[in-house]
Amino acid sequence: MKSRRLLKLVLFSGIISLSGCSSVMSHTGGKEGTYPGTRSSAQTLGDSDTNWGVKSLVALDMPFTAVMDTLLLPWDMSVSYTHLRAHETLS
């Protein structure tokens, strides 16, 4: 019984950690603005130099990235506001 519960926990954690990859990479990579992961995914899908294997993975991940970007929207807005206020102070 415990091993089945542990298996469910591991599978659920794996699915959660793999979803929204573009969003996580964009937020940890320093991209600013709202929905950076979704914008990055859309750019990758539209790039003619990207192979079909990567495009298919990006297309599968894009809905999860959009959800993750939506969950991180308050953070993005806060960071944008802080940068705007700092820029106004310097001017």
Side-chain angles (χ1 to χ4, degrees):
M1 184 70 168
K2 285 186 179 185
S3 64
R4 188 175 189 142
R5 197 176 288 178
L6 179 64
L7 178 64
K8 285 181 182 180
L9 177 66
V10 168
L11 288 174
F12 180 74
S13 299
I15 290 170
I16 293 299
S17 67
L18 291 175
S19 63
C21 287
S22 295
S23 179
V24 172
M25 287 189 302
S26 295
H27 280 90
T28 58
K31 291 189 177 181
E32 292 184 15
T34 55
Y35 291 91
T38 307
R39 285 188 281 124
S40 175
S41 292
Q43 186 178 26
T44 302
L45 287 174
D47 188 10
S48 62
D49 292 334
T50 306
N51 66 19
W52 65 270
V54 173
K55 284 186 178 184
S56 63
L57 292 175
V58 169
L60 287 172
D61 182 61
M62 197 165 186
F64 299 109
T65 296
V67 169
M68 184 67 80
D69 279 344
T70 302
L71 292 174
L72 292 172
L73 188 60
W75 170 262
D76 293 336
M77 296 300 287
S78 172
V79 169
S80 295
Y81 178 75
T82 302
H83 284 265
L84 179 65
R85 295 288 292 168
H87 183 63
E88 287 177 355
T89 305
L90 294 175
S91 298

